[in-house]
Amino acid sequence: MQRWALLVAAVAGFLAVALGAFAAHGLRNVLSAEYLTVFQTGVHYQMVHALALLAVGMLLQKSPARSLRIAAWSFTLGIVLFSGSLYALTLSGVRGLGMITPFGGVAFLVGWASLAWFAWRSR
């Protein structure tokens, strides 16, 4: 599981940098200022949670705790649903895709709560 978490973290971080550069250079003149900000929000949350997933992956090397596995899956799901829906919304213009975004936010919250639970239990 730790290898998977580290790999997903690395890919998510790589893609966050690539998508951020794409937004700054390729979408600046294509998207409205509002949509560009929404896209950049997706990039920001993706990078933050790629780093969180990296930390979870490193913790998994020391402990196979269920709470860490839940955190890893939740951060991954959050990146896909939260950031992915924001990318899809801005590039397609289909506002209905924004209804998916809160599910990604909930997944992020579950990930952070699971990480907190692990920290509390491992005293």
Side-chain angles (χ1 to χ4, degrees):
M1 178 75 185
Q2 77 271 6
R3 183 173 178 227
W4 172 87
L6 294 171
L7 178 62
V8 172
V11 170
F14 175 91
L15 289 174
V17 172
L19 289 168
F22 174 62
H25 301 290
L27 297 178
R28 179 178 39 198
N29 297 323
V30 176
L31 296 179
S32 68
E34 176 189 359
Y35 271 8
L36 191 56
T37 299
V38 171
F39 193 95
Q40 290 170 336
T41 298
V43 169
H44 176 77
Y45 274 77
Q46 180 172 333
M47 181 56 83
V48 166
H49 289 90
L51 294 172
L53 187 55
L54 179 67
V56 169
M58 293 186 327
L59 288 169
L60 279 164
Q61 290 179 332
K62 304 240 184 244
S63 169
R66 183 173 187 256
S67 56
L68 289 176
R69 294 192 314 271
I70 291 170
W73 281 108
S74 297
F75 289 148
T76 301
L77 184 62
I79 290 170
V80 170
L81 294 178
F82 185 90
S83 296
S85 67
L86 293 181
Y87 302 147
L89 180 150
T90 57
L91 296 175
S92 72
V94 177
R95 283 192 157 316
L97 291 168
M99 293 186 304
I100 297 169
T101 310
F103 294 105
V106 170
F108 287 149
L109 292 172
V110 168
W112 287 110
S114 297
L115 188 55
W117 180 255
F118 170 78
W120 176 260
R121 297 286 296 182
S122 64
R123 326 181 232 150

